[in-house]
Amino acid sequence: MPDKKAFEEAKRKIIGIDRQRLGIGTLSEKTVHAILKNYYEPDEDRQEIPIENYVADIFAGGEIIEIQTRQFDKLRGKLSAFLPLYPVTIVYPIPREKWIIWIDEETGELSGKRKSPLKGSPYTVFPELYRIKAFLKDPHLRFRLVLLDMEEYKLLNGRGKNRKIRASRYDRIPTELVRELEVERPEDFLQFVPPELEGQFTTKDFAKAAHISQALSQVTLNILYHMGTVARVGKKGNLYLYEANDF
């Protein structure tokens, strides 16, 4: 279960109770990363620790924690250096619900909050896992998926009449820690196989049951097959037939 009290303490430490929202993005690191780093390790003496020519976000109790919001491929060098020496947990934040707030760069004016119709899903981690596929079977590697509700601040510097097309993201401010999913061993990947998928199924069946796109379903099953979570048991037309394995 998430430690809501510890999460609020980490938020207060990074944001400050009375701090103005517009000042948050001036931090040297983005707010989601900074809050999660202080949530998982409040002791700053255990943060930003040099190890093997790299800097670990957290090193405590002989274990490393890396908070990565995207582009897992940038972790390859660290993983190559860290995994032979220590257990490594990659923390991946996922916005479950998001409220968009626009910033006018000229006036500093903030728009009202608008709730995004898009909801975050744990399955969004799978394209990132594909980027570090070669490391996934290392017994020292673990993952923690953190579902957060958050406010997203965007600059009105894009194209179009409303300046919102391809606009820049300024910062994301977590408002609530909703859920944490842990993947510590190959059998933990079974939690991503929807329980209604009994017997054989295709990527289309998986996409429908998981409420994700066909493309994301294909990447997800690629990783689940790689991890031995599912087996390929035949074909249905041009699609593989899969079946969940027992552990």
Side-chain angles (χ1 to χ4, degrees), residues 31-154:
T31 308
V32 172
H33 186 279
I35 288 175
L36 288 176
K37 187 171 66 176
N38 282 276
Y39 170 62
Y40 288 111
E41 182 47 72
D43 186 348
E44 293 183 8
D45 290 338
R46 296 176 177 177
Q47 300 176 5
E48 305 299 320
I49 305 300
I51 299 173
E52 295 292 307
N53 297 317
Y54 292 95
V55 177
D57 284 338
I58 296 167
F59 181 63
E63 298 187 9
I64 291 171
I65 296 177
E66 285 292 317
I67 294 126
Q68 194 75 9
T69 57
R70 59 195 178 103
Q71 297 177 325
F72 278 21
D73 49 308
K74 291 185 176 181
L75 287 173
R76 290 173 190 160
K78 282 187 172 184
L79 292 176
S80 294
F82 293 167
L83 286 171
L85 303 174
Y86 306 107
V88 177
T89 298
I90 298 175
V91 173
Y92 179 64
I94 300 168
R96 186 197 66 154
E97 290 190 343
K98 192 166 61 174
W99 286 263
I100 308 297
I101 300 163
W102 292 94
I103 304 172
D104 188 311
E105 288 185 283
E106 295 178 2
T107 66
E109 184 180 352
L110 303 182
S111 73
K113 291 198 291 188
R114 181 185 64 81
K115 188 174 182 180
S116 170
L118 302 177
K119 281 199 171 187
S121 160
Y123 292 100
T124 59
V125 76
F126 282 91
E128 296 293 348
L129 296 181
Y130 189 83
R131 295 169 183 248
I132 55 167
K133 188 175 178 180
F135 297 94
L136 294 182
K137 292 185 178 180
D138 191 301
H140 274 169
L141 184 59
R142 305 162 185 169
F143 299 93
R144 185 170 295 143
L145 312 185
V146 186
L147 274 74
L148 301 163
D149 288 347
M150 60 178 64
E151 297 171 348
E152 180 168 296
Y153 290 76
K154 303 184 79 172

Side-chain angles (χ1 to χ4, degrees), residues 123 189-190 192-210 214 217-218 220-222 224-225 229-236 239-245:
Y123 292 100
F189 279 94
L190 274 172
F192 298 103
V193 180
E196 58 266 38
L197 288 178
E198 298 180 356
Q200 300 177 358
F201 54 87
T202 66
T203 52
K204 287 184 177 180
D205 299 325
F206 192 96
K208 183 177 179 181
Q214 173 79 358
S217 173
Q218 289 172 340
T220 301
L221 283 167
N222 180 293
L224 295 181
Y225 174 68
T229 310
V230 299
R232 288 174 178 164
V233 293
K235 295 194 80 172
K236 183 178 180 181
L239 299 176
Y240 282 111
L241 282 169
Y242 292 91
E243 202 169 61
N245 284 325

